[in-house]
Amino acid sequence: MTTPADELRAAAKELREYASTASPAPWAVNQCGNVETSGHEEMAEVWPLQAAPGANATYIALMGPDVGHALAQWLDYHAGMSDRLAQLFDDPPLIPDDHPALAVARALIGEAR
């Protein structure tokens, strides 16, 4: 049986793996509206599609690997909290099914409920 802590750890692991293989942070939007590293290496060409010009590139740059690592750490923290609650209670409440960390984890691993 998959517990909320398992889901949180799986998402943290996946996010950390992707963030670790991405170009180094910080990311920014260049004068052409594409995402580049701080070393000015263009890493993503972004077309506006249905968003306002620059909105997609700005969002991608904002969610760079530094944010990914921080989110993975946050997910691991909540997994640990879930484990501690399980140790304290015979019928553990773990974390509620609607907890924001669990929602993020499920979105990352594609298991939205």
Side-chain angles (χ1 to χ4, degrees):
M1 177 176 151
T2 302
T3 67
D6 294 336
E7 291 179 85
L8 291 164
R9 282 195 184 87
K13 181 179 184 271
E14 186 171 331
L15 183 57
R16 196 171 278 114
E17 287 171 1
Y18 280 109
S20 294
T21 60
S23 296
W27 293 352
V29 179
N30 64 21
Q31 66 277 6
C32 297
N34 297 319
V35 180
E36 68 180 15
T37 67
S38 59
H40 305 291
E41 301 160 322
E42 193 168 282
M43 45 176 289
E45 184 175 350
V46 184
W47 295 89
L49 303 173
Q50 297 173 352
N56 291 338
T58 301
Y59 180 75
I60 292 168
L62 176 70
M63 298 303 289
D66 49 346
V67 174
H69 284 291
L71 279 172
Q73 188 174 5
W74 180 70
L75 293 169
D76 279 334
Y77 168 82
H78 284 289
M81 291 299 292
S82 181
D83 287 340
R84 283 191 279 291
L85 287 172
Q87 291 173 355
L88 293 173
F89 300 97
D90 291 333
D91 186 16
L94 301 173
I95 63 171
D97 202 46
D98 63 346
H99 193 284
L102 198 51
V104 168
R106 289 174 176 163
L108 287 168
I109 58 178
E111 296 181 13
R113 293 185 182 180

